[in-house]
């Protein structure tokens, strides 16, 4: 029983420490830049005007709201042509989602699932979509990571200006502590130390 109790205690403490180290990173803000590819089915492509469209750049900001939850906002701009894929029509989207991060699975690999919505601006007019998806961030250092994710953007039948489609994204993210950026060094204690040193 003592050996079992010791093993369970050590395992529990190690697991808590691992989750704490992982959650420290996930409690930080993240900014990212990358690209995205939108894919329509053959039937919907005939209506939209293009089957595969690329967005450059795609910008996103992720704000933690708990140990496993975060809010993510992104903007995907219409591509200005990259040679091998040129968009026949425009595609610009504003995305917002709530993520659930699986922080305790690995220190370097952080998978997550998300749900949210988008406003997609096409050739016709801006149209809302409902989104679900999954993503993965591989942290190559304490501050930088590689991110990829897959969206399914569902367009309701009542909106005739857009069709449901898939968006695949990829980019690099930077993690930072927003609190340390605005935290100033205390000056009263320094001034007090100088005062007492002079007397």
């Amino acid at each position: 029983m003592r050996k079992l109790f010791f093993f369970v205690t050590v395992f529990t403490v190690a697991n808590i420490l691992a989750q704490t180290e992982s959650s420290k990173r996930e409690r930080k803000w993240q900014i990212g830049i990358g690209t995205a590819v939108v894919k329509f089915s053959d039937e919907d492509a005939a209506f939209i005007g293009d089957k595969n469209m690329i967005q450059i750049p795609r910008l996103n900001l992720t704000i933690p709201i708990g140990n496993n939850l975060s809010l993510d906002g992104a903007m995907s701009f219409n591509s200005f042509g990259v040679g091998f894929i040129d968009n026949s029509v425009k595609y610009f989207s504003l995305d917002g989602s709530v993520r659930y991060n699986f922080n305790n699975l690995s220190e370097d690999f952080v998978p997550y699932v998300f749900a949210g919505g988008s406003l997609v601006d096409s050739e016709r007019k801006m149209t809302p979509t409902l989104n679900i998806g999954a993503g993965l961030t591989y942290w190559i250092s304490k501050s930088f990571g590689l991110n990829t994710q897959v969206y399914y953007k569902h367009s309701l039948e009542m909106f005739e200006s857009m069709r449901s489609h898939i968006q695949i994204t990829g980019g690099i993210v930077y993690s930072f502590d927003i609190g340390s950026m605005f935290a100033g060094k205390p000056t009263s204690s320094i001034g007090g130390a100088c005062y007492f040193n002079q007397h």
Side-chain angles (χ1 to χ4, degrees), residues 16 26 32-33 39 64 71 75 100 103-104 122-125 141-142 149 152 159 189 191 193:
I16 292 174
E26 293 308 310
I33 184 170
K39 300 180 70 66
L71 298 176
M75 290 189 299
Y100 182 84
N103 301 329
N104 57 342
S122 63
E123 294 293 317
R124 294 168 176 82
K125 61 181 179 179
S141 70
K142 291 183 178 180
Q149 55 189 7
Y152 172 69
F159 301 111
S189 60

Side-chain angles (χ1 to χ4, degrees), residues 107-168:
E107 184 177 353
D108 297 327
F109 290 90
V110 180
Y112 57 86
V113 293
F114 60 86
S118 295
L119 289 175
V120 180
D121 189 18
S122 63
E123 294 293 317
R124 294 168 176 82
K125 61 181 179 179
M126 187 168 286
T127 307
T129 63
L130 300 176
N131 309 334
I132 58 172
L136 174 69
T137 301
Y138 170 60
W139 292 100
I140 56 180
S141 70
K142 291 183 178 180
S143 299
F144 289 94
L146 302 176
N147 176 263
T148 184
Q149 55 189 7
V150 177
Y151 282 82
Y152 172 69
K153 296 186 174 183
H154 179 71
S155 179
L156 299 177
E157 292 183 359
M158 67 176 67
F159 301 111
E160 299 180 354
S161 57
M162 182 50 58
R163 294 290 187 269
S164 300
H165 56 280
I166 293 174
Q167 185 182 38
I168 303 171

Side-chain angles (χ1 to χ4, degrees), residues 85-99:
I85 296 181
D86 292 325
N87 299 336
S88 301
V89 295
K90 70 176 182 178
Y91 182 100
F92 171 82
S93 67
L94 294 172
D95 310 319
S97 58
V98 178
R99 290 183 180 180

Side-chain angles (χ1 to χ4, degrees), residues 49-50 52-54 78-89:
D50 206 343
N52 301 311
M53 292 185 284
I54 190 169
N78 194 60
S79 172
F80 25 78
V82 292
F84 60 96
I85 296 181
D86 292 325
N87 299 336
S88 301
V89 295

